[in-house]
């Protein structure tokens, strides 16, 4: 799997999306939309329809949310969608499918949304900003995914679209940092994946080609300023080649604040660890990253896939090799991140499994949303489900 496309969009089986409260082990039934089964303080409820894959969420006011993701077509390609409403009322709901207007698009998906609630000056009431990526047969040779930004109504009618691609040569990049080193004259950016957006910023990942390091695609993280149309390429421990990803962003201090907290994963010091880092949009300064491993114990891979502010800190969704997805609370004091508290959700031990794969993709309040694929499934479809407190 390429670095920039690490958000799992599972295939080869019927996947379901789970919104998990993590207050107790989850039990669920993989039945029709709306069917649920509860245990303790948790409940899994199917939402949306077969073929809908959720990758992002943002509150829209009260108990309302906006969900982003993709619909998988009968041919196996993906088309981006938006949904606005309450998770509790989303059983069997219909999403709004949008068609990116770029030339010869063959597949596309939204990864993360933002709403008027958080940035009222930039996003009109009723509109949504959503970021993601698309694949086009008209792209330059070798280029696979290109980033995109949408701003407009849920229907897509009258909305604006922008295609974004990480510059390889340092143009419009802070410090004129070049994604492609001069030692690789044939290097180019093959993937630009926009994962999440808030305030003036978009965060995501990019991959370079030709391949290096024994055939691995070299990738790293970016920040894109929407208003300035300027890029910042993340250098973790002074390097652009640390397999570092940015999946989540939160604007600290509300609209107009230059302070952000970014979330993702990094192999800057060997094994992939989840991390949080502060960023000042005005000065371009980064804070010291805080690294985390699953349940505060060493493991080969841990990653934060989403972030949301809660009282006293942040809630995040974590994935880790060999472990269930988890709701993670990280306390914050000033500019310092504290010790994480992990609440795993044993989807593998629930009624939806045995499963061939389980993920955690995004988080809203104390709900984490992810996918599972039952081993008995054979169809490449993606029904959705949500786990919430009764």
């Amino acid at each position: 799997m390429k670095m920039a496309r690490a958000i799992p969009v599972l295939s080869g089986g019927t996947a379901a999306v789970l919104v998990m409260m993590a207050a107790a082990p989850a039990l669920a039934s993989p039945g029709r939309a709306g069917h649920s089964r509860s245990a303790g303080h948790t409940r899994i409820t199917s939402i949306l329809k077969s073929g809908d894959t959720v990758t992002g969420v943002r509150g829209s006011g009260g108990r309302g949310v906006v969900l982003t993701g993709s619909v998988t077509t009968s041919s196996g390609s993906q088309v981006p969608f938006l949904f606005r409403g309450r998770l509790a009322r989303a059983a069997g709901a219909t999403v709004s499918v949008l068609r990116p207007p770029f030339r010869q698009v063959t597949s596309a998906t939204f990864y993360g949304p933002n709403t008027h609630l958080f940035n009222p000056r930039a996003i009109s009431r009723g509109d949504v900003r959503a970021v993601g990526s698309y694949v086009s047969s008209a792209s330059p040779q070798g280029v696979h995914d290109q980033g995109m930004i949408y701003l407009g109504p849920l229907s897509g009618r009258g909305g604006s679209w922008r295609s974004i691609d990480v510059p390889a040569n340092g143009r419009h990049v802070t410090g004129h940092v070049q994604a492609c080193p001069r030692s690789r004259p044939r290097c180019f950016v093959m993937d630009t994946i926009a994962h999440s957006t808030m305030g003036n910023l978009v965060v995501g990942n990019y991959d370079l080609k030709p391949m290096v390091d024994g055939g691995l695609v070299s990738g790293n993280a970016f920040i894109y300023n929407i208003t300035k149309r300027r890029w910042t390429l993340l250098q973790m421990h002074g390097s652009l080649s640390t397999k570092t990803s940015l999946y989540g962003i939160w604007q600290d201090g509300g609209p107009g604040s230059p302070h952000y907290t970014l979330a993702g994963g990094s192999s800057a010091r060997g094994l992939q660890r989840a991390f949080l880092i502060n960023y000042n949009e005005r000065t371009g300064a980064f804070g010291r990253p805080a690294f985390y491993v699953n349940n505060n114990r060493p493991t080969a891979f841990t990653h934060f896939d989403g972030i949301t502010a809660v009282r006293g800190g942040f809630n995040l969704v974590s994935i880790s090799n060999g472990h269930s997805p988890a709701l993670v609370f990280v306390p914050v004091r000033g500019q310092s991140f504290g010790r994480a508290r992990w609440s795993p959700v044993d989807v593998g031990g629930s009624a939806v499994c045995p499963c061939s794969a389980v993920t955690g993709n995004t988080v809203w309040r104390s709900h984490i949303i992810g996918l599972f694929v039952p081993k008995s499934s054979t169809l490449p479809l993606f029904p959705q489900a949500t786990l919430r407190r009764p």
Side-chain angles (χ1 to χ4, degrees), residues 220-222 232-236 239-240 244 246 275 277 286:
N220 212 32
F222 70 78
T232 297
L233 305 186
L234 183 60
Q235 299 185 65
M236 190 69 77
S239 174
L240 288 176
T244 297
L246 287 177
F275 77 95
I277 191 169
F286 289 92

Side-chain angles (χ1 to χ4, degrees), residues 225-275:
N225 190 302
I226 297 171
T227 55
K228 296 181 179 179
R229 301 198 177 208
R230 192 163 187 84
W231 303 81
T232 297
L233 305 186
L234 183 60
Q235 299 185 65
M236 190 69 77
H237 297 307
S239 174
L240 288 176
S241 301
T242 55
K243 297 181 176 64
T244 297
S245 61
L246 287 177
Y247 273 24
I249 181 172
W250 192 267
Q251 187 177 22
D252 306 318
S257 169
H259 302 289
Y260 294 80
T261 298
L262 313 180
S266 177
S267 299
R269 291 183 175 175
L271 301 177
Q272 177 86 177
R273 295 176 297 168
F275 77 95

Side-chain angles (χ1 to χ4, degrees), residues 60-142:
S60 60
R63 297 183 181 181
V65 299
V66 168
L67 300 176
T68 49
S70 61
V71 173
T72 304
T73 67
S74 58
S75 64
S77 65
Q78 294 173 299
V79 184
F81 79 74
L82 296 172
F83 168 84
R84 180 164 44 219
R86 291 176 57 179
L87 289 176
R89 298 176 179 174
T94 299
V95 300
S96 179
V97 175
L98 283 72
R99 304 281 178 175
F102 313 114
R103 293 178 54 210
Q104 300 177 34
V105 173
T106 58
S107 188
T109 187
F110 283 144
Y111 283 116
N114 197 26
T115 64
H116 172 84
L117 177 67
F118 295 99
N119 294 113
R121 290 188 177 181
I123 305 172
S124 299
R125 188 179 302 275
D127 283 357
V128 173
R129 179 193 292 153
V131 299
S133 68
Y134 69 96
V135 179
S136 168
S137 58
S139 299
Q141 186 175 4

Side-chain angles (χ1 to χ4, degrees), residues 289-356:
F291 294 95
Y292 299 90
V293 292
N294 185 77
N295 207 27
N296 303 318
R297 299 174 182 175
T299 187
F301 178 92
T302 306
H303 196 282
F304 287 150
D305 279 10
I307 182 172
T308 186
V310 294
R311 181 176 297 180
F314 293 103
N315 276 347
L316 304 109
V317 57
S318 167
I319 58 173
S320 183
N321 62 302
H323 298 278
S324 299
L327 178 69
V328 184
F329 172 72
V330 175
V332 176
R333 181 174 295 177
Q335 297 294 305
S336 300
F337 302 108
R339 182 178 175 86
R341 297 205 296 265
W342 301 75
S343 300
V345 177
D346 185 19
V347 180
S350 73
V352 301
C353 290
C355 296
S356 59

